[in-house]
Amino acid sequence: MQTSIDVKLTEYDLKLIEKDYDRISVLIDDTKKLNRVCRRINKLTKGAVVRAINSDEYEKKSCGEVLSISFPGSITAKYIDLIKWVKPGQLHDARKAGVNLAKLSGDSSVLIYIGSQKFSADFIKGYLLRQYSFSEYKTSKITKSRSATLMLNKPLDFKKSLEEIKATVDGVFFTRDLVNEPANILTTVEFSKRLQKLSTLGIEVEVLEEKQLSDLGMNALLGVGQGSANPSKVVVMSWKGGAKSVQPLALVGKGVVFDTGGISLKPAGGMEEMTMDMGGAGVVAGTMLALAKRKAKANVIGLVGLVENMPSSTAQRPGDIVKSMKGETIEVINTDAEGRLVLSDVLWYAQERFKPSGIIDLATLTGAIIVGLGYENAGVFSNDDNFCKTFMNAAALENEGAWRMPLAPAYDKKLKSRLADMKNVGGRDAGAITAAQFIQRFIKKDMPWIHLDIAGVAHTKSESTYAPSGATGWGVMSLNRLISDKFEDIK
Ligand code: BES
Ligand code: MN
Ligand code: ZN
């Protein structure tokens, strides 16, 4: 499991400038007034800092961008990074500055001097989030000697927020690792093993096997996995950090470890991307890890449905009719619309067993949401305006793209089946909405619910705001913030 890099906190100490760090990084605010550290570096470099920040190159940079001085004068460090910090009122700029520095610093040891502490937390969050790479299967692994030393005026004041940031970043990294793993490694069995390890953090983990799922009547979920040699599982993770009397929040994730489409087989081009079809389950797992690591005072249950969608002689056929745990029957028109079948049973089970105060599901559910929103925003569907607003606020604060989409009975009509209570697809038009309507059929009346279609944001081909190409960990930070703002006992 990849965790965030070590960060040492240290007091203001000018002597550190002469130690053997690879880089020394400083923030330059809009007054361009040099702080104590910059003045010292400027002196040791015979005025290079002043010349740099008065140069055209520096002028052209925007807030959060970095100008580096190479092999500076009599200083041991290879680089001095001047981070343009012109509008320190902006949280996103602070993160961007951290991201930019992380991209430059790679595997080096960095001494960062932060003059004022305002927004230093977001700066560090950006820095840590971007210190991620998935090189598990590169034979010539680079040995990492990364380290960051933060020089602060009052390091002790920063200790607690650094711990919280690291807990969140570790959650994001756990999600990214799971999503980046190939499907021959991260089988349903291996996935459940990795989740069982969360028990060392105080999370109760329970694995439901096929026999139990069948006794519970989860035939919609079991139908999806019946063509695979890998057994279907539902994993329940409970974090009980809040008062006993408080009903939990439930997080439910789609965990299709590989989606071939089943008998409704997907085309070959791009099919390898379907290793990320467990992205929803990955986000649920990462959020649970973050909550446990920061000892959140909240009750949260994470549930994931782990299945593999394969074509074989035992696979589900188009036209099959299955009875869901809720008791309603589903005609499977297209075996590639499998995520909603998995979610329907896990959502029903979550409500029946835990009576949650609210429920959020996450799924790489439809290609249609990518057609609509691209790779910048997840689709947000909800039956509760207030609940939805609190989530949207959390997502905006965490800079994770989220866009609300509509639900309406007119879309639901498209799920009518000739033979069963419903069919699993509603046609090409409004594909992400009809998928959400299908899921809503398994949400009890008056249950506050949010459905997040993360097909476009869970994994990206080019780098995203906080991650290199591949898994992003989208959602862990927003959910973690939503829980800390709205579901925690008074701290
Ligand atoms: N896992 C896919 C959705 C997906 C597509 C995720 C692209 C990430 C990237 C899902 O199971 C699926 O196959 N959906 C179908 C639904 C259709 C058959 C109604 C789709 O979107 O084409
Ligand atoms: Mn599919
Ligand atoms: Zn899928």
Side-chain angles (χ1 to χ4, degrees):
M1 194 192 294
Q2 239 180 110
T3 52
S4 55
I5 61 161
D6 254 351
V7 179
K8 285 187 218 75
L9 295 179
T10 160
E11 284 181 343
Y12 171 73
D13 177 4
L14 266 189
K15 283 200 292 293
L16 289 180
I17 295 173
E18 278 146 83
K19 290 262 154 67
D20 60 345
Y21 294 104
D22 294 323
R23 317 184 78 99
I24 300 174
S25 309
V26 291
L27 304 176
I28 308 285
D29 68 19
D30 43 357
T31 66
K32 291 193 186 171
K33 215 175 134 235
L34 298 189
N35 59 39
R36 296 179 281 184
V37 172
C38 288
R39 281 203 300 275
R40 181 59 175 253
I41 297 172
N42 194 48
K43 201 166 162 205
L44 290 169
T45 57
K46 299 200 169 70
V49 174
V50 168
R51 271 178 281 138
I53 64 178
N54 288 319
S55 68
D56 288 348
E57 287 91 327
Y58 186 79
E59 203 53 49
K60 279 186 213 134
K61 301 227 179 263
S62 56
C63 184
E65 291 187 329
V66 185
L67 180 64
S68 300
I69 302 172
S70 313
F71 302 98
S74 54
I75 296 175
T76 319
K78 294 185 196 118
Y79 303 97
I80 304 295
D81 303 310
L82 306 171
I83 304 166
K84 196 161 180 173
W85 191 254
V86 286
K87 277 183 268 130
Q90 304 263 336
L91 178 154
H92 301 324
D93 287 337
R95 289 208 188 161
K96 196 171 82 186
V99 164
N100 288 335
L101 184 62
K103 282 201 247 178
L104 282 175
S105 55
D107 286 331
S108 43
S109 61
V110 188
L111 173 68
I112 306 171
Y113 178 62
I114 298 180
S116 93
Q117 288 197 18
K118 204 179 174 204
F119 292 106
S120 44
D122 278 290
F123 173 76
I124 292 304
K125 199 167 185 176
Y127 183 74
L128 293 180
L129 281 166
R130 196 57 178 74
Q131 294 275 2
Y132 176 89
S133 67
F134 188 78
S135 51
E136 199 55 37
Y137 303 102
K138 296 278 190 193
T139 312
S140 58
K141 270 188 216 164
I142 341 140
T143 47
K144 290 170 189 159
S145 60
R146 295 177 183 171
S147 80
T149 305
L150 278 188
M151 206 205 286
L152 295 157
N153 298 343
K154 290 184 186 159
L156 283 178
D157 292 2
F158 193 60
K159 219 172 154 237
K160 186 151 187 289
S161 55
L162 180 64
E163 272 164 23
E164 291 209 6
I165 290 168
K166 283 179 68 89
T168 314
V169 173
D170 287 350
V172 173
F173 283 13
F174 186 41
T175 302
R176 287 183 191 169
D177 281 355
L178 291 167
V179 173
N180 279 326
E181 285 286 9
N184 60 327
I185 303 295
L186 196 77
T187 58
T188 53
V189 175
E190 172 64 17
F191 201 151
S192 71
K193 279 190 190 152
R194 293 198 189 182
L195 296 183
Q196 270 169 324
K197 290 200 187 113
L198 292 175
S199 59
T200 57
L201 297 171
I203 297 173
E204 283 170 33
V205 187
E206 205 181 320
V207 182
L208 306 179
E209 305 292 347
E210 279 180 351
K211 165 83 174 63
Q212 289 159 285
L213 300 178
S214 161
D215 291 346
L216 284 162
M218 292 205 202
N219 303 310
L221 179 146
L222 287 169
V224 175
Q226 77 187 32
S228 170
N230 293 304
S232 301
K233 290 167 192 285
V234 169
V235 182
V236 182
M237 295 161 272
S238 310
W239 173 252
K240 296 174 180 164
K244 272 213 170 83
S245 57
V246 178
Q247 289 307 111
L249 170 72
L251 304 176
V252 173
K254 165 179 171 180
V256 177
V257 295
F258 195 76
D259 181 13
T260 63
I263 296 297
S264 314
L265 194 64
K266 284 183 184 295
M271 200 204 276
E272 73 283 356
E273 278 172 38
M274 286 302 125
T275 57
M276 53 73 101
D277 210 21
M278 33 55 69
V283 176
V284 171
T287 305
M288 297 307 291
L289 182 138
L291 294 176
K293 279 210 170 177
R294 70 174 182 81
K295 301 195 170 56
K297 292 187 168 58
N299 297 331
V300 182
I301 317 281
L303 302 102
V304 296
L306 307 180
V307 301
E308 186 175 40
N309 190 17
M310 294 292 259
S312 77
S313 73
T314 61
Q316 174 155 267
R317 294 150 288 248
D320 282 4
I321 295 178
V322 291
K323 189 170 189 166
S324 68
M325 180 181 173
K326 184 185 176 190
E328 289 176 345
T329 55
I330 305 163
E331 184 185 5
V332 181
I333 300 294
N334 189 321
T335 63
D336 196 13
E338 85 297 340
R340 60 199 80 182
L341 298 170
V342 174
L343 285 176
S344 64
D345 276 341
V346 185
L347 282 166
W348 194 255
Y349 176 72
Q351 294 167 93
E352 287 277 287
R353 177 164 167 202
F354 296 105
K355 312 269 179 295
S357 61
I359 194 159
I360 301 177
D361 77 73
L362 297 106
T364 48
L365 201 66
T366 67
I369 201 68
I370 308 178
V371 175
L373 300 175
Y375 301 94
E376 306 302 325
N377 285 286
V380 182
F381 300 82
S382 181
N383 61 357
D384 185 312
D385 289 349
N386 277 329
F387 190 27
C388 191
K389 244 181 235 156
T390 58
F391 176 78
M392 295 298 281
N393 283 340
L397 281 169
E398 290 298 339
N399 204 18
E400 292 185 316
W403 194 262
R404 190 165 182 188
M405 301 285 288
L407 290 162
Y411 297 108
D412 190 70
K413 278 196 200 128
K414 296 176 60 84
L415 299 170
K416 255 205 180 116
S417 157
R418 184 172 63 88
L419 302 166
D421 297 331
M422 70 194 90
K423 54 182 183 179
N424 75 332
V425 291
R428 247 176 69 83
D429 48 302
I433 309 177
T434 51
Q437 291 292 161
F438 181 94
I439 291 168
Q440 191 176 13
R441 287 176 173 236
F442 298 87
I443 299 298
K444 293 189 177 182
K445 200 172 160 281
D446 299 329
M447 173 61 63
W449 160 71
I450 297 171
H451 157 60
L452 300 170
D453 192 335
I454 61 170
V457 295
H459 188 280
T460 54
K461 279 208 190 83
S462 40
E463 68 171 325
S464 54
T465 319
Y466 301 121
S469 63
T472 61
W474 183 99
V476 173
M477 295 195 290
S478 300
L479 291 172
N480 180 57
R481 181 182 285 266
L482 173 77
I483 291 162
S484 115
D485 288 353
K486 298 287 170 190
F487 289 87
E488 286 199 47
D489 301 349
I490 310 298
K491 283 177 230 181

